[in-house]
């Protein structure tokens, strides 16, 4: 594809949408308001033209029309698999795998089965959501308007922004831990956090094209150094370890780790379509689904098993145990210790590899901020990207000493809303639109009067949350239903939230259609 064509596709509409008018404003105030509005519009247009001059993507939430899409030959299906593989082959998923033996006291085999099976369930939702990128040309949270309605969707968008920035926070902390331990504490964790955040900001500021280009190659050094880690540290893995606790507690811990692994995967569902909106409209859905599943599951499985192996070694190897007490990132560095300076180099590559996982949430958060309001839509995506980077960098600096708590308290909790939203979306798609492509009308993405009111969706969403709260098991709160299983409870929030929303939505949606016709 020619450079000029690429720029035309990426820039999107430059003009900001029109402001609404006030009915009771005096003529003088109208003129002042129009002058102020005109200056603001001129400033934004000038800023966006400057972005385009530097080949930065200026398009925000505007739909990518069918005639603006890339030729499939210039991207290809392999790019989808590589993108997801590259995103997930990162140290944050290694540290998540560590939680099976270290926090939930599960044996090696139990940890592997729970993490991999939980991840596969979560990936099904991500692959399903990803298929709507080429079909609609709309970003994921714009697509959510078709199920949640114009105003209720803002709640979902806020939750998604929290998830995106939370994952970015975790990536920054892990990278900072690794870089600090490699430098024998000559570099603080804070400096490492700032380094990876700045690099991620640069990549995402250039937009979609740079995003895909970076992910196309980021996986290779990660695969090499992580394979080396598996070979060097593998002899210290305690693959014969068994789960600890009475039978009911072990069952509860299995369910909770399964849920945590599911949450780590399913939260990509809030942004999966964002990265495929430039693919042709007629791209086969089954291919998008299947290739997404392949890219996600392979990378997750490798990273989880590596983390589980490292954590299992803390039970039998004193150096592993001491390193884990410092931080989870330190345990990764300790695995490379027999390689000396080359091991330190590999650790640095692992730390910088987290940028590949940091780029997607940074990019998607910049888009999602625009969906919260028409005034916010006027602010270019790159500005919101920058704000998002500042937010998660500051939070990472504040929470850098509490990574395990952030993982166990945050990730599982944030997976609940995605499970509930997926239940509503599936039923809207299969029951009420009957898998009919023409029923979606993708061109009305910004017409609030033609989108669903969202009454049924928001009620079902809240009911699903009630079920999730009753069945959640976190360090700071265990729901009454979850508390019935074992000493520490069993986190069943994802499944109960999904089920309650799925039961509630159909009758309410039928009433909404009959009463309001949309």
């Amino acid at each position: 594809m020619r450079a000029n064509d690429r720029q035309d596709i990426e820039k999107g509409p430059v003009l900001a949408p029109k402001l609404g008018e006030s009915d009771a404003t005096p003529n003088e105030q109208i003129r002042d308001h129009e002058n102020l509005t005109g200056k603001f519009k001129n400033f934004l247009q000038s800023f966006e033209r400057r972005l385009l001059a530097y080949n930065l993507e200026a398009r925000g939430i505007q739909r990518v029309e069918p005639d603006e899409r890339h030729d499939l030959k210039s991207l290809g299906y392999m790019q989808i698999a590589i993108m997801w593989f590259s995103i997930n082959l990162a140290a944050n998923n290694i540290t998540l795998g560590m939680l099976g033996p270290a926090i939930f006291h599960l044996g090696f085999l139990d940890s592997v089965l729970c993490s991999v099976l939980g991840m596969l369930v979560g990936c099904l939702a991500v692959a399903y959501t990803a298929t709507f990128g080429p079909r609609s040309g709309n970003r994921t949270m714009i697509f959510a308007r078709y199920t949640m309605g114009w105003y209720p969707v803002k709640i979902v968008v806020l939750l998604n922004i929290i998830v995106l920035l939370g994952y970015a926070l975790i990536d920054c902390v892990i990278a900072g831990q690794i870089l600090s331990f490699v430098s024998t504490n000559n570099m603080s964790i804070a400096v490492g956090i700032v380094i990876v955040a700045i690099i991620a900001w640069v990549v995402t500021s250039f937009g979609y094209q740079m995003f895909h280009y970076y992910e196309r190659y980021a996986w290779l050094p990660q695969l090499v150094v992580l394979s080396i880690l598996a070979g060097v540290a593998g002899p210290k893995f305690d693959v014969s370890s068994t789960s600890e606790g009475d039978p009911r507690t072990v069952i509860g811990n299995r369910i909770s780790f399964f849920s945590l692994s599911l949450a780590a995967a399913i939260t990509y569902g809030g942004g999966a379509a964002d990265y495929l909106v430039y693919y042709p409209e007629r791209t086969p859905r089954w291919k998008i689904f299947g290739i997404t599943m392949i890219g996600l599951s392979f990378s997750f499985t490798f990273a989880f098993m590596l983390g589980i192996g490292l954590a299992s070694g803390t039970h039998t190897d004193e150096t592993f145990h001491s390193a884990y007490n410092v931080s989870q990132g330190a345990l990764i560095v300790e695995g490379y210790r027999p390689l000396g300076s080359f091991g330190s180099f590999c650790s640095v590559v692992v730390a910088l590899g987290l940028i590949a996982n940091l780029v997607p949430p940074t990019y998607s958060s910049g888009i999602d901020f625009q969906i919260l309001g028409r005034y916010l839509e006027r602010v270019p995506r790159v500005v919101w990207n920058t704000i998002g980077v500042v937010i998660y960098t500051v939070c990472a600096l504040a929470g850098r000493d509490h990574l395990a708590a952030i993982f166990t308290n945050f990730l599982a909790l944030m997976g609940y809303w995605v499970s509930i939203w997926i239940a509503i979306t599936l039923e809207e798609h299969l029951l009420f639109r009957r898998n009919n492509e023409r029923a979606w009308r993708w061109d009305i993405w910004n017409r609030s009067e033609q989108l669903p009111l969202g009454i049924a969706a928001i009620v079902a969403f809240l009911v699903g949350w009630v079920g999730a709260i009753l069945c959640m098991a976190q360090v700071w709160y265990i729901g009454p239903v979850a508390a019935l299983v074992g000493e520490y409870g069993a986190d069943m929030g994802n499944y109960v939230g999904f089920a309650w929303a799925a039961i509630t939505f159909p009758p309410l949606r039928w009433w909404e259609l009959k009463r309001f016709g949309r």
Side-chain angles (χ1 to χ4, degrees):
M1 175 173 288
R2 299 190 306 273
N4 290 338
D5 293 338
R6 182 184 68 206
Q7 189 180 37
D8 289 341
I9 289 174
E10 290 186 344
K11 68 183 182 181
V14 174
L15 293 175
K18 293 182 180 180
L19 284 168
E21 297 180 354
S22 176
D23 295 329
T25 307
N27 292 335
E28 294 82 3
Q29 293 185 8
I30 292 177
R31 285 195 295 270
D32 292 342
H33 182 269
E34 289 177 345
N35 290 336
L36 182 61
T37 301
K39 291 179 181 179
F40 184 61
K41 287 171 62 178
N42 291 335
F43 168 76
L44 289 179
Q45 291 174 20
S46 174
F47 184 74
E48 288 180 334
R49 284 192 293 269
R50 186 173 296 276
L51 295 180
L52 294 173
Y54 289 97
N55 201 29
L56 272 69
E57 181 188 14
R59 181 187 293 275
I61 62 174
Q62 298 82 11
R63 184 190 180 216
V64 182
E65 301 294 338
D67 59 351
E68 296 179 303
R69 311 292 179 86
H70 289 302
D71 181 357
L72 187 58
K73 294 179 181 178
S74 68
L75 290 173
Y77 299 114
M78 185 58 68
Q79 173 63 23
I80 301 174
I82 290 175
M83 177 191 71
W84 288 116
F85 188 81
S86 181
I87 288 171
N88 280 299
L89 197 65
N92 66 318
N93 289 322
I94 297 175
T95 56
L96 193 151
M98 293 178 186
L99 301 181
I103 301 298
F104 296 100
H105 307 292
L106 296 175
F108 183 88
L109 181 59
D110 269 359
S111 296
V112 169
L113 290 175
C114 291
S115 62
V116 173
L117 294 176
M119 169 272 297
L120 287 173
V121 175
C123 288
L124 290 173
V126 182
Y128 167 72
T129 306
T131 63
F132 286 94
R135 294 165 66 184
S136 68
N138 288 320
R139 312 290 185 166
T140 313
M141 290 294 99
I142 290 293
F143 160 64
R145 287 176 174 175
Y146 288 80
T147 57
M148 299 297 299
W150 183 271
Y151 293 105
V153 80
K154 297 180 190 300
I155 298 174
V156 174
V157 173
L158 277 172
L159 290 171
N160 197 47
I161 290 174
I162 293 172
V163 169
L164 295 170
L165 298 183
Y167 268 99
L169 178 162
I170 291 168
D171 288 338
C172 287
V173 172
I174 297 170
Q177 289 178 348
I178 294 173
L179 292 174
S180 175
F181 199 74
V182 167
S183 66
T184 60
N185 295 319
N186 290 325
M187 175 191 293
S188 68
I189 294 176
V191 173
I193 289 172
V194 172
I195 290 173
V196 295
I198 290 174
I199 298 174
W201 174 79
V202 172
V203 174
T204 54
S205 293
F206 279 91
Y208 184 94
Q209 193 76 15
M210 178 61 75
F211 171 98
H212 274 276
Y213 188 82
Y214 184 86
E215 300 293 357
R216 190 177 303 166
Y217 301 104
W219 64 274
L220 183 57
Q222 288 301 295
L223 182 61
V224 172
V225 296
L226 293 181
S227 297
I228 292 173
L229 177 60
V232 173
K236 295 185 178 181
F237 293 179
D238 186 7
V239 296
S240 61
S241 61
T242 57
S243 300
E244 301 175 7
D246 63 83
R248 290 173 59 84
T249 299
V250 170
I251 291 173
N253 287 341
R254 286 170 177 166
I255 293 174
S256 294
F257 189 49
F258 182 100
S259 299
L260 183 62
S261 303
L262 184 154
I266 202 173
T267 44
Y268 281 120
D274 294 2
Y275 321 128
L276 303 173
V277 291
Y278 289 98
Y279 272 73
E281 188 178 24
R282 298 301 178 188
T283 305
R285 281 176 277 174
W286 69 269
K287 289 187 178 180
I288 296 291
F289 184 93
I291 294 170
T292 299
M293 283 294 297
I294 290 171
L296 285 169
S297 58
F298 279 28
S299 52
F300 265 127
T301 300
F302 184 30
F304 282 170
M305 291 185 68
L306 189 53
I308 291 166
L310 288 169
S312 70
T314 61
H315 301 313
T316 56
D317 188 275
E318 185 59 34
T319 58
F320 273 27
H321 180 74
S322 299
Y324 184 83
N325 286 337
V326 175
S327 70
Q328 291 166 294
L331 178 56
I332 295 175
V333 178
E334 184 60 38
Y336 284 113
R337 187 69 65 191
L339 300 180
S341 57
F342 178 69
S344 298
F345 169 77
C346 291
S347 299
V348 172
V349 175
V350 171
L352 297 180
L354 280 157
I355 296 168
N357 194 266
L358 188 56
V359 165
T362 305
Y363 177 80
S364 290
S365 65
I367 293 168
D368 288 355
F369 275 114
Q370 293 183 318
I371 304 174
L372 293 176
R374 293 197 183 276
Y375 286 97
L376 302 183
E377 182 184 343
R378 297 171 179 276
V379 180
R381 179 193 58 80
V382 68
V383 175
W384 289 120
N385 262 24
T386 304
I387 293 172
V389 170
V390 171
I391 291 173
Y392 68 64
T393 302
V394 171
C395 292
L397 293 172
R400 60 186 182 272
D401 297 324
H402 308 284
L403 182 61
I406 294 172
F407 254 132
T408 53
N409 295 339
F410 171 79
L411 289 188
L413 179 63
M414 285 296 99
Y416 299 155
W417 82 262
V418 185
S419 300
I420 297 168
W421 173 63
I422 289 293
I424 295 169
T425 302
L426 279 169
E427 292 185 330
E428 176 72 22
H429 180 196
L430 300 177
L431 297 180
F432 297 98
R433 300 186 191 253
R434 299 184 180 181
N435 201 22
N436 184 352
E437 196 65 28
R438 288 179 294 180
W440 290 100
R441 295 186 59 197
W442 301 120
D443 58 320
I444 65 169
W445 64 273
N446 61 343
R447 302 176 194 170
S448 59
E449 71 281 358
Q450 298 184 41
L451 291 166
L453 287 176
I455 298 173
I458 192 61
V459 172
F461 191 79
L462 294 175
V463 170
W465 264 106
V466 171
I469 291 171
L470 291 174
C471 299
M472 65 188 288
Q474 306 297 326
V475 173
W476 47 273
Y477 173 77
I478 299 177
V481 178
L484 299 175
V485 184
E487 183 179 355
Y488 308 108
D491 184 14
M492 300 176 286
N494 282 291
Y495 329 120
V496 177
F498 180 96
W500 284 27
I503 293 170
T504 306
F505 181 71
L508 291 174
R509 181 61 172 140
W510 177 83
W511 168 83
E512 184 180 25
L513 284 169
K514 185 177 180 179
R515 177 69 176 82
F516 300 101
R518 61 187 177 101

